[in-house]
Amino acid sequence: MIKKHYEFSFWLRVTHWVRAIAIIILTASGFYIAYPFIAPAHNGGEPVNFLNALFRSWHVIFGFLLISVTIGKFYLFFFDKQSKVERASFKDFINPKVWINQIKYYLLIGKHPHGKGVYNPLQFMAYVGVYGAIILISLTGLILYIHVYHQGMGGMLYDILRPVEAMFGGLAWVRQLHHIAMWIFIIFLPIHIYLAVFNSVYGKSGAMDSIFSGYRWVKKKDK
């Protein structure tokens, strides 16, 4: 017997999609800031559209949005009752048997293992790496921010983040780390989409549908 199982809460789904949109816009605007590949329109020899400033403003807006939604996601992971299925994934992550069965499944030589949580060990490891990259790109982004905006939030964070800047090796290294963290997302995104589709189609449990509706299909005997 197959029944519908509520897997992802509303706020978990919201943070997922807001985070995804923010990362896409930050990547596109970040590439433009690093290398302006579009020339702004001119009027009488003077630039009037200030395209670089526009891209930078969107980069700052979605950068703070990414930081905010990540803080919210950390809160949900540790304290939200409906997110206990995510926390339970850690038990599978430290279980060698689940690791072996999961790798067999991806190699098409075994069945999908029934885990205690919502993420299999490979997914859990990938998500830990991605959140580590989000923390890195947020810290380096804030350090770059305080060197451009010296009042308000920038002024408040200046003295706090200067020691972190020194720990990273200076402003030049901060820029490099910020760029490297961006490439982690660029590499992760297509792999994440492929494996999500693979699990949904090959596993036939609506795994990908759950990030939209919150529900997936499970066999009653697996419960």
Side-chain angles (χ1 to χ4, degrees), residues 139-140 142-144 146-147 157-175 177:
L139 274 176
T140 53
L142 287 172
I143 292 170
L144 295 173
I146 65 173
H147 284 281
L157 294 174
Y158 187 83
D159 291 332
I160 298 173
L161 292 177
R162 285 308 299 276
V164 182
E165 177 187 334
M167 182 184 68
F168 283 144
L171 195 58
W173 266 106
V174 167
R175 293 183 185 279
L177 291 171

